[in-house]
Amino acid sequence: MQRVKLVGEIAKFGSSWETNCANIADIFKLIDCQTPGFRQHLVEGAEAGVGYTIKRGEDYLEEGEELLLSLNDEDIIIKSTNIVTIMLAKKVGEKDYKTFIKKTNNN
């Protein structure tokens, strides 16, 4: 069984779920079946530049194929984010990105 946490604006569809799914894709299907508007929200978010980080246990999933990997009894955290933020962080590296954000927040 997995504990799934939805964080950020996506939490309006339920912040905590307990599932027994085979993979991450099945978790999205489960939430979609249980909450009206979930799929439409994801589509509209993607069009508006909203992305999602998915943490499986201690690891962040970075490739689409990883959504189909088998799950064990591990925590899953799905967090809505601004896709531009993610792309920038990957490009400059986590440490430089955090330094950049601190500098821009102080000005």
Side-chain angles (χ1 to χ4, degrees):
M1 179 155 305
Q2 303 90 25
R3 289 183 303 246
V4 178
K5 301 283 185 197
L6 302 182
V7 180
E9 52 80 30
I10 196 173
K12 69 183 179 182
F13 294 100
S15 61
S16 183
W17 295 77
E18 288 192 12
T19 72
N20 193 14
C21 292
N23 54 52
I24 302 287
D26 286 347
I27 290 173
F28 278 94
K29 289 177 190 173
L30 170 80
I31 296 171
D32 182 46
C33 289
Q34 299 294 319
T35 55
F38 182 71
R39 182 184 303 244
Q40 184 64 29
H41 176 81
L42 294 177
V43 170
E44 290 172 359
E47 291 171 353
V50 175
Y52 299 92
T53 57
I54 302 173
K55 187 175 180 184
R56 174 185 173 204
E58 296 297 318
D59 300 319
Y60 284 93
L61 305 185
E62 296 182 4
E63 302 296 329
E65 298 83 29
E66 293 176 303
L67 298 177
L68 301 175
L69 294 175
S70 297
L71 295 176
N72 298 313
D73 293 342
E74 52 204 341
D75 291 345
I76 308 294
I77 300 172
I78 303 169
K79 181 177 181 180
S80 52
T81 60
N82 181 313
I83 195 70
V84 174
T85 303
I86 294 170
M87 293 170 67
L88 179 60
K90 284 184 177 180
K91 182 86 171 169
V92 301
E94 184 177 353
K95 182 180 176 186
D96 290 337
Y97 175 73
K98 287 180 180 179
T99 302
F100 170 77
I101 293 301
K102 284 180 185 175
K103 287 179 181 178
T104 58
N105 285 339
N106 290 331
N107 295 329

